[in-house]
Amino acid sequence: MALVTFTGYPASAKSTRAAQLHTYLAAKHNNVQLLSDHSLNISRNVYSDSREEKAARGTLFAAMQRLMSPNTILIVDAPNYIKGFRYQMYCAARELKLRVCTIYVVAKEEQCREWNAARQEGERYPDETLENLIQRYEEPSSMVRWDSPLFTVLWSDDQMPFEAIWEAVSEGKIKPPNSGTVAVSKAPTDALLTLEKTALSIITELMSLQDGYGGTVNLSGNNIQLPPRRLTLSELHRLKRQFVQVHKKAITLGTIEKGSVEWDASSVAHKFAVYLEEHLKH
């Protein structure tokens, strides 16, 4: 029936949200499974060693394949921080003609550190491992098909968008399996250049528009609200690099649904303006 993939920083309350969703969906469907590192007895310490982590992902993926079925809603509660692994999960679900959706649980880095420190011994990530996973985290994007539909849940939200998630797993479009003989819609050959140039022009425009601190500015036709502080060029370049990295794979692999993404300058400018507003709040 469906695969629901949770993703987010370690110790960001993913398991709490996954349990909430499991309770909600179980009241609507008679076969809802919750798969997690905990249910597979995978230790937090495996993320301190690349070989052990790779083996753990293999264990999770194998268990996921066993549990997926046309009558099952499978919730996978794990870090799932690597885009390539989420794509692999997505492809496995498509092979069985299952619906998919991604739940992105968002928490501040400091909040994750506090929650991790409060956990019992054996359930905590080692401090160095926690920091490493946060730095390596690859944010999901609604612009790529393997993360869509994407539901973002903030750490401060009282409720999850339960009804919208239920609609996605019960009525959402079922995409056909991958096929080497089926042509996929690829991004234009100049899409990456457009992404880089447009994001850079937005930064240049924003720096020239800063007058005082905070307020609303118009960036290439897109109004965004700035935080009440002076923005630095290095901060904006860091966000540009993150934005480009998030969307680069969709361009280089050509793994996008036909018509689902527009790579022209105005569309990229809109996406980057929204991205800046969301990531400049603190």
Side-chain angles (χ1 to χ4, degrees):
M1 184 172 180
L3 172 68
V4 181
T5 302
F6 271 79
T7 184
Y9 282 163
S12 60
K14 292 188 301 299
S15 294
T16 299
R17 296 298 191 177
Q20 291 174 345
L21 183 61
H22 180 267
T23 299
Y24 176 84
L25 294 178
K28 289 181 169 291
H29 186 70
N30 62 4
N31 190 3
V32 182
Q33 300 288 330
L34 177 57
L35 178 66
S36 67
D37 283 356
H38 180 73
S39 68
L40 294 172
N41 295 315
I42 295 175
S43 168
R44 309 288 190 194
N45 292 324
V46 303
Y47 295 99
S48 301
D49 183 279
S50 60
R51 288 174 297 182
E52 291 187 12
E53 180 184 342
K54 184 176 181 180
R57 281 200 302 272
T59 299
L60 179 71
F61 188 74
M64 183 195 80
Q65 289 182 302
R66 289 194 300 270
L67 290 172
M68 288 191 303
S69 79
N71 191 44
T72 301
I73 298 176
L74 177 60
I75 301 171
V76 180
D77 167 31
N80 299 325
Y81 69 95
I82 300 172
K83 287 185 290 186
F85 185 56
R86 294 199 300 270
Y87 177 67
Q88 185 181 2
M89 297 165 70
Y90 163 81
C91 290
R94 284 186 61 181
E95 290 299 319
L96 293 177
K97 300 182 180 180
L98 306 182
R99 297 179 179 88
V100 296
C101 74
T102 303
I103 314 296
Y104 178 25
V105 181
V106 179
K108 296 180 179 179
E109 294 180 18
E110 188 54 44
Q111 184 68 71
C112 294
R113 295 185 185 103
E114 291 179 10
W115 283 339
N116 186 62
R119 288 177 168 176
Q120 296 180 353
E121 186 68 31
E123 295 186 3
R124 290 196 298 267
Y125 290 92
D127 291 343
E128 184 178 350
T129 301
L130 179 73
E131 297 301 325
N132 189 16
L133 288 173
I134 288 175
Q135 292 302 315
R136 291 162 56 196
Y137 185 75
E138 296 179 335
E139 186 176 329
S141 169
S142 60
M143 293 182 73
V144 295
R145 57 180 177 174
W146 60 87
D147 287 330
S148 300
L150 177 65
F151 299 94
T152 301
V153 182
L154 301 180
W155 68 275
S156 56
D157 289 346
D158 293 330
Q159 294 289 333
M160 297 175 63
F162 291 120
E163 293 184 6
I165 295 171
W166 168 246
E167 182 178 346
V169 301
S170 62
E171 302 177 14
K173 179 182 177 181
I174 298 178
K175 298 175 182 178
N178 283 330
S179 173
T181 60
V182 178
V184 295
S185 176
K186 294 189 176 182
T189 56
D190 63 345
L192 185 57
L193 178 61
T194 301
L195 189 70
E196 288 275 5
K197 290 179 63 176
T198 304
L200 183 59
S201 69
I202 288 291
I203 288 177
T204 303
E205 184 179 0
L206 179 54
M207 291 300 293
S208 68
L209 287 175
Q210 281 199 91
D211 183 18
Y213 298 88
T216 301
V217 298
N218 185 284
L219 297 175
S220 299
N222 302 282
N223 289 325
I224 71 169
Q225 182 69 33
L226 298 180
R229 58 181 175 82
R230 174 68 64 178
L231 305 178
T232 66
L233 186 60
S234 61
E235 177 184 21
L236 293 175
H237 274 295
R238 176 177 58 81
L239 290 175
K240 181 188 81 72
R241 288 194 299 271
Q242 293 175 356
F243 174 80
V244 170
Q245 187 62 35
V246 165
H247 302 105
K248 184 176 181 179
K249 192 169 186 178
I251 294 175
T252 56
L253 293 183
T255 49
I256 55 173
E257 292 293 345
K258 184 176 181 180
S260 65
V261 180
E262 296 293 338
W263 295 107
D264 59 278
S266 62
S267 297
V268 172
H270 173 72
K271 286 288 184 182
F272 187 45
V274 172
Y275 186 88
L276 285 175
E277 186 172 39
E278 290 179 349
H279 290 75
L280 287 171
K281 289 181 180 179
H282 57 279

